[in-house]
Amino acid sequence: MKKMLICISTLGAGGAEKSLVNFVNEYKNKYNISILVFSEKNNYYARLLNDIPVDYIVKKGTPLIIEKIINKLVKYSPAKLLNKIIIRNSVFKNENFDIEFAYLEGRSTKIISGSSNKKSAKYAYIHCDFLKNWHSRNRFKNYKEEYSCYRNFNNIIAVSNEQAKSFIDRFPGLEVEVIPNFVNKEDILKKGDVYFKDITTKYFCSVGRLEEVKNFDLLIEAFHNFRKNNPEYKLYILGEGSQYSSLLTRIKKLKEEDNIRLVGFKNNPYKYIKNSVGLIQSSRSESFSYVLAEANILGIPTLSTKTQGSSYMGKYFDVIEVDHNVDGLVEGMVKLLDKRVENSTFSINNEAKKQFDILFKGVLENYEQ
């Protein structure tokens, strides 16, 4: 059986991490998969990978000052030296992998790009919008180094066409293939059917990290305006993050404490989505909108500000897309009340499986002895 090393920054509760779990479940019986994770400190999805060898570069108990030093090492060390240091200090130091997979832009990309294993097929999977949310540049000394690292991969993969275009705009001359993330439909349906105490409440639902890119301040303002003509509705926002205090202050200033709830992070967001009148995404940037897909699977209509992710999901099901302003969101909420999800064939997984199988087969054949 071929050996695959996957590198990712964390196993936290984000979209790329969720995608990784779904990917591993799809391929763990076909490849011997090992996972190298930068930090153990944000480790939500590790519980779902108990049967997979996992090692961490920054351990859970690592002092903050040491973590900062390691971050500097990652940023300023040449990729080849960085890979050599990290792999030699990992539990995988004696392994020879057939596939080395950087599953997220940034640290993972730099580490895998520096591999000296000439027989391995190397892939980079990118998940961000490189025009609106180019966070990976903070992990490299400069633009030239990041560009150079991507040139070391056999294939660069994006999760949507629009995201691929944003990558090529930043790194012209590089080729990108589009393969969507896997979605665990059975798990979503099962968790959506769990009993929910607020089943009689009329509410909209929104799910995401409480960070600037998710634009929840705009959503709160828009919902406040929406309620002026629709006072019976509430808004539940699921997630945690650095903007919690500022968002709560804004809610109190608008005197909406009884109507807009910051619910916090939930292990099972699907029961909240399933019992809502609609799912709202207000992000400034999304590459692959997992939550829109999950709502559609649960039979819940969706509203989103226009992003790469919402446009891509429009290939598979109907999404109400609006401009990034208060009036647009208010109008979208009104439309959402009359929206129904029609039965549709959700073909993302079939598409992703077919493309990954072709990719792995085509490249690995060139490396078989």
Side-chain angles (χ1 to χ4, degrees):
M1 192 179 289
K2 297 290 185 180
K3 294 182 179 181
M4 179 187 299
L5 175 66
I6 299 176
C7 186
I8 194 167
S9 296
T10 76
L11 290 175
E17 294 87 343
K18 182 186 296 184
S19 166
L20 171 62
V21 172
N22 294 338
F23 176 89
V24 169
N25 286 333
E26 187 69 41
Y27 282 102
K28 65 183 180 181
N29 294 324
K30 190 172 182 179
Y31 298 96
N32 284 327
I33 297 176
S34 301
I35 302 176
L36 179 63
V37 186
F38 181 77
S39 177
E40 190 179 12
K41 293 188 175 182
N42 187 1
N43 207 28
Y44 175 75
Y45 278 116
R47 61 193 175 86
L48 301 180
L49 296 166
N50 289 330
D51 56 341
I52 303 295
V54 178
D55 195 17
Y56 300 89
I57 299 168
V58 177
K59 312 297 183 183
K60 189 173 291 186
T62 301
L64 182 59
I65 184 64
I66 301 299
E67 184 176 354
K68 288 182 177 180
I69 292 172
I70 294 173
N71 272 308
K72 292 288 186 182
L73 175 70
V74 171
K75 183 171 184 176
Y76 292 106
S77 296
K80 288 185 178 181
L81 175 62
L82 177 66
N83 179 278
K84 187 175 182 179
I85 293 172
I86 287 175
I87 296 300
R88 281 189 175 181
N89 286 280
S90 78
V91 298
F92 309 125
K93 60 185 177 182
N94 295 320
E95 299 282 357
N96 290 311
F97 294 100
D98 302 286
I99 295 174
E100 296 180 278
F101 201 165
Y103 209 84
L104 195 63
E105 59 279 346
R107 298 186 188 101
S108 307
T109 302
K110 187 169 184 180
I111 291 168
I112 296 299
S113 73
S115 171
S116 60
N117 183 358
K118 295 181 179 180
K119 292 185 177 182
S120 70
K122 300 173 183 64
Y123 303 96
Y125 207 3
I126 53 178
H127 290 78
C128 78
D129 180 339
F130 281 82
L131 295 180
K132 295 181 180 179
N133 188 30
W134 186 14
H135 60 83
S136 63
R137 59 184 169 182
N138 297 321
R139 303 303 178 188
F140 297 85
K141 286 188 297 184
N142 49 46
Y143 168 81
K144 183 178 179 181
E145 184 185 50
E146 186 170 9
Y147 191 108
S148 177
C149 284
Y150 277 115
R151 291 177 65 88
N152 291 330
F153 288 91
N154 295 86
N155 295 83
I156 301 167
I157 309 160
V159 296
S160 72
N161 293 314
E162 293 79 5
Q163 186 210 11
K165 291 175 183 176
S166 76
F167 178 87
I168 292 170
D169 186 81
R170 294 294 188 190
F171 304 102
L174 297 180
E175 296 183 1
V176 182
E177 299 186 42
V178 176
I179 305 179
N181 287 319
F182 286 101
V183 178
N184 192 333
K185 184 176 180 179
E186 292 73 21
D187 186 60
I188 293 166
L189 290 171
K190 179 181 178 181
K191 291 180 178 178
D193 283 336
V194 173
Y195 171 75
F196 186 60
K197 64 180 180 180
D198 287 348
I199 195 167
T200 59
T201 303
K202 293 182 178 180
Y203 68 91
F204 294 98
C205 186
S206 190
V207 183
R209 293 173 291 112
L210 305 185
E211 303 295 345
E212 185 177 354
V213 69
K214 300 299 182 180
N215 220 9
F216 284 124
D217 51 349
L218 177 68
L219 176 57
I220 289 168
E221 188 74 28
F223 184 74
H224 171 69
N225 286 7
F226 169 82
R227 279 198 70 257
K228 292 175 182 178
N229 295 317
N230 303 275
E232 69 272 30
Y233 290 95
K234 298 183 184 297
L235 171 65
Y236 292 174
I237 299 176
L238 281 66
E240 56 187 22
S242 64
Q243 286 200 318
Y244 175 84
S245 296
S246 62
L247 293 175
L248 184 60
T249 298
R250 184 59 182 158
I251 291 168
K252 290 179 178 179
K253 186 174 182 179
L254 294 172
K255 299 181 179 179
E256 293 283 12
E257 300 100 306
D258 295 332
N259 304 305
I260 302 177
R261 289 181 54 194
L262 298 180
V263 179
F265 175 79
K266 297 296 177 182
N267 287 327
N268 181 9
Y270 306 118
K271 63 181 181 180
Y272 287 85
I273 298 172
K274 176 70 179 290
N275 292 284
S276 70
V277 297
L279 187 285
I280 304 173
Q281 180 176 269
S282 55
S283 302
R284 291 182 171 88
S285 171
E286 292 284 347
S287 56
F288 184 92
S289 296
Y290 252 114
V291 71
L292 296 182
E294 292 164 344
N296 178 262
I297 289 170
L298 292 168
I300 301 302
T302 55
L303 161 67
S304 178
T305 46
K306 294 176 182 176
T307 66
Q308 293 177 357
S310 63
S311 297
Y312 188 74
M313 287 302 164
K315 291 174 51 180
Y316 302 98
F317 53 86
D318 192 17
V319 181
I320 300 172
E321 290 187 285
V322 298
D323 292 332
H324 293 253
N325 56 57
V326 168
D327 291 342
L329 276 171
V330 171
E331 292 174 11
M333 288 180 215
V334 173
K335 292 179 181 178
L336 204 54
L337 296 178
D338 296 323
K339 192 71 176 175
R340 296 293 180 269
V341 174
E342 304 293 337
N343 292 330
S344 60
T345 301
F346 196 74
S347 59
I348 285 180
N349 283 357
N350 292 336
E351 180 182 330
K353 181 68 163 55
K354 180 180 179 180
Q355 290 178 273
F356 270 123
D357 284 348
I358 292 172
L359 188 68
F360 292 155
K361 183 178 184 295
V363 175
L364 285 175
E365 284 176 348
N366 296 328
Y367 290 83
E368 291 180 351
Q369 295 180 348

